[in-house]
Amino acid sequence: MSFLKKLFGPKPVIAKSKYITIEDAKTTPFTKKTVGSGYSMRPDVYYVVASVELGNTTTKCILTATNLNTSRSYLLDKTVKMTRDIRAPKDGEEVFGSTVWGVELTKESVSEMVKNTILESVKRAKVDIEKDLDFVVRSTGVTAGFASPEEVGKLIIALANGCLDAGIPPRKMAPAMSIDNFPKRLKEFTLIDKVIFDGAVVSVVPPTGKEVVANEMEGELVTAGIKLGSKWTNVDFRNPCVSIDFGTTLAGRIVNNNEPYARTIGNFCGLAGAVSDALIRGTEKVDKRGGAALDLYSKDILKKADWKKALSNAEKVHNLIDIRKVPEDRERFGTVPVDPHAAYDAGTTLIGCDVGENGDKLDDLTSLGHELYENYGMPTMFATLDHVSALMVKRLVDEAFDENVVEEGSALGITGRAGITGKKPEFILDYTKDRFKDIIFVSDALAMGAAIMARCMNSIGTPHVPIGGRQGGPCILGHRKKLQQKKEDKWID
């Protein structure tokens, strides 16, 4: 360790994607290699993906362009709207569910919001849906507020309808069936003639059997996205690894070291950014129903904070926060539908974060937030939020180690608005640095995950720059081919 690291401690590794234009993606002819080593003679090809996300707090369309020579993913556009602004149901429309904050949803209102968000995004990025866009991945974290799989199904249909209404062709939302379905520029990059998509995303398979947590897809996407985002750093965020997503609700995975496909041996679920949102509503500076911490956050807001008092405040907040292994008798934890029996039968440990029981003490958090704001002001309030999130990560990680589900040599990845803003990365690093081989913070990991999932679904790989497999290991293409051949031979027999 260098003298400066000993003196000041290690700095958080933060992966932040760069922006390019669609013109850049079309016209840059070759990839620059390392400084002093010239250029690769293989022409650049970019894979353009739209991540359409309906969350409890925000609805987004994020356009990414991934360089298939380097596996680095760039942002073309990031259009963000507040989910609370979804229009109210009209007469005759069926309300099929609501967000964590009680915003009612209909197929028509969701489709309208999704359509408008996509159209705004592609217009700003000057992306032609037919000519430039390769694939669309839809995801949602709103399932926490739902009561049944039928409601979730209606939401998925509403998301799809919004995409179709925006002019997205159905073929850009489903995997290709053969190499003939790819445009000429992508044919040399797809491995569809060698391996098929068998459900593994970046060499990780989900828990076997029934779905064990309602927002399983979010955990899958952010894990993949952190792996892709790590390509902007020197961190090898391959298996084994732990991912934690601090959106409004908590998502993430604990992944082991199996090859060719690692298993998901742990899942995170419950409330995350909702804790900060509940506290900030106590300031009465945001909407009581849909207000969020990001409504008030600014780069300068922490300048006059009392950090010592903020830590003391955060410890009071944590008296209301319940973090533990999800008991077998719970159907929800932190408002998120869970199936502990299916999870534990599959060898997957569920670790949850709640406020009271299923969020029934969120109002107590708002009252405490009012008290803290009145006594200490806004800067110390936001400093308190930084300590609250960092302590949440510490407790989640401690619980995972207590349950003995984190493999030696694992890397930790954090994403989500309530996990990477302010001084949270510094505090999280301080709490967890002795637990993990590497720790990385990635912005927009869910969108990065959509980019890589689109590639996995279409067998578009970069064997020379592997994203899946073990840390320090080679591409697992050979392993996958052998595994799939065995399954095919068994099926024929």
Side-chain angles (χ1 to χ4, degrees):
M1 183 180 289
S2 70
F3 171 75
L4 289 177
K5 280 190 177 180
K6 286 181 180 178
L7 187 62
F8 298 108
K11 294 282 187 183
V13 177
I14 300 176
K16 194 167 184 179
S17 297
K18 299 175 183 177
Y19 277 87
I20 62 171
T21 67
I22 191 65
E23 288 82 9
D24 292 333
K26 288 178 177 179
T27 59
T28 305
F30 299 105
T31 299
K32 257 188 185 180
K33 294 166 75 176
T34 56
V35 175
S37 62
Y39 290 81
S40 165
M41 294 312 294
R42 189 177 190 180
D44 277 339
V45 173
Y46 287 85
Y47 190 61
V48 178
V49 175
S51 171
V52 179
E53 312 164 15
L54 180 72
N56 286 285
T57 301
T58 58
T59 295
K60 305 175 185 175
C61 179
I62 301 180
L63 297 170
T64 60
T66 303
N67 186 322
L68 295 180
N69 284 333
T70 65
S71 273
R72 285 185 172 178
S73 193
Y74 300 81
L75 293 178
L76 295 171
D77 179 72
K78 181 177 177 180
T79 296
V80 182
K81 296 181 178 293
M82 302 304 290
T83 303
R84 63 177 180 243
D85 293 333
I86 286 180
R87 67 161 175 77
K90 294 180 180 178
D91 290 342
E93 293 181 356
E94 176 195 359
V95 175
F96 62 81
S98 62
T99 70
V100 165
W101 304 120
V103 177
E104 293 183 328
L105 306 173
T106 70
K107 281 186 184 178
E108 295 82 2
S109 65
V110 169
S111 297
E112 207 172 285
M113 178 69 135
V114 168
K115 171 190 172 183
N116 292 338
T117 307
I118 293 171
L119 290 178
E120 182 178 328
S121 183
V122 296
K123 182 179 180 180
R124 289 202 317 191
K126 299 179 181 177
V127 166
D128 185 301
I129 288 175
E130 186 60 42
K131 296 178 181 177
D132 302 327
L133 186 65
D134 293 306
F135 207 78
V136 177
V137 175
R138 297 152 283 142
S139 62
T140 179
V142 182
T143 51
F146 288 4
S148 69
E150 289 75 21
E151 290 180 354
V152 177
K154 289 177 181 178
L155 176 58
I156 298 302
I157 291 171
L159 286 171
N161 286 343
C163 293
L164 293 171
D165 291 345
I168 308 292
R171 71 178 186 279
K172 293 181 186 273
M173 293 189 282
M177 300 304 292
S178 75
I179 197 167
D180 295 330
N181 298 126
F182 290 92
K184 184 178 179 181
R185 66 187 176 85
L186 294 178
K187 285 184 177 180
E188 68 170 303
F189 290 96
T190 181
L191 304 168
I192 199 168
D193 288 342
K194 296 183 173 68
V195 288
I196 60 169
F197 177 62
D198 52 13
V201 177
V202 201
S203 74
V204 181
V205 290
T208 55
K210 293 172 64 180
E211 186 178 67
V212 300
V213 61
N215 57 351
E216 172 62 39
M217 185 178 181
E218 275 192 294
E220 182 172 53
L221 288 174
V222 297
T223 304
I226 294 171
K227 290 186 176 190
L228 184 58
S230 71
K231 293 301 177 184
W232 285 106
T233 73
N234 292 323
V235 173
D236 188 351
F237 192 80
R238 289 187 289 166
N239 308 326
C241 58
V242 177
S243 62
I244 302 179
D245 177 20
F246 269 76
T248 304
T249 53
L250 178 68
R253 284 178 163 184
I254 302 170
V255 173
N256 71 7
N257 206 17
N258 290 2
E259 280 192 309
Y261 300 144
R263 284 187 55 243
T264 302
I265 55 177
N267 267 114
F268 295 106
C269 61
L271 298 171
V275 172
S276 294
D277 295 341
L279 286 165
I280 213 70
R281 288 176 189 180
T283 67
E284 299 178 1
K285 300 289 185 182
V286 298
D287 184 82
K288 289 183 179 180
R289 188 178 176 213
L294 59 82
D295 288 328
L296 301 179
Y297 179 76
S298 68
K299 290 182 179 180
D300 299 327
I301 205 159
L302 297 171
K303 280 186 176 180
K304 296 181 180 179
D306 182 338
W307 289 99
K308 186 175 180 180
K309 181 55 66 176
L311 178 57
S312 174
N313 292 344
E315 289 167 350
K316 289 181 184 177
V317 171
H318 269 264
N319 290 331
L320 293 169
I321 298 176
D322 179 17
I323 292 177
R324 57 181 160 136
K325 179 181 177 180
V326 176
E328 289 195 35
D329 62 349
R330 295 287 289 271
E331 294 183 354
R332 287 178 179 268
F333 200 90
T335 76
V336 176
V338 292
D339 189 340
H341 288 294
Y344 301 142
D345 287 347
T348 303
T349 298
L350 296 184
I351 297 173
C353 178
D354 208 341
V355 180
E357 183 168 336
N358 285 318
D360 65 4
K361 289 191 177 180
L362 283 169
D363 287 343
D364 292 353
L365 274 184
T366 300
S367 297
L368 179 56
H370 179 77
E371 176 189 326
L372 298 179
Y373 170 67
E374 288 292 313
N375 290 336
Y376 308 109
M378 194 65 79
T380 300
M381 183 69 174
F382 269 87
T384 298
L385 301 187
D386 282 0
H387 277 299
V388 166
S389 287
L391 286 169
M392 287 168 71
V393 173
K394 180 182 185 301
R395 291 178 61 188
L396 290 166
V397 166
D398 287 348
E399 187 71 16
F401 274 90
D402 289 346
E403 292 297 326
N404 199 32
V405 288
V406 181
E407 291 203 355
E408 186 177 351
S410 290
L412 172 65
I414 306 288
T415 191
R417 63 186 175 90
I420 63 173
T421 54
K423 289 196 173 185
K424 297 177 189 73
E426 295 173 40
F427 297 149
I428 291 170
L429 179 63
D430 187 51
Y431 285 136
T432 60
K433 63 180 181 294
D434 296 329
R435 294 283 205 178
F436 296 96
K437 179 181 177 183
D438 287 298
I439 302 169
I440 185 172
F441 300 85
V442 179
S443 60
D444 300 315
L446 199 145
M448 298 295 109
I452 199 67
M453 174 173 270
R455 288 171 56 189
C456 289
M457 292 171 73
N458 290 288
S459 299
I460 296 177
T462 48
H464 57 293
V465 190
I467 300 173
R470 290 182 181 176
Q471 294 174 26
C475 176
I476 59 166
L477 178 61
H479 281 82
R480 289 186 64 194
K481 289 167 66 176
K482 288 179 182 177
L483 179 67
Q484 292 185 1
Q485 186 61 50
K486 282 182 183 178
K487 289 182 178 179
E488 186 177 327
D489 292 344
K490 186 176 180 180
W491 180 78
I492 292 172
D493 291 343

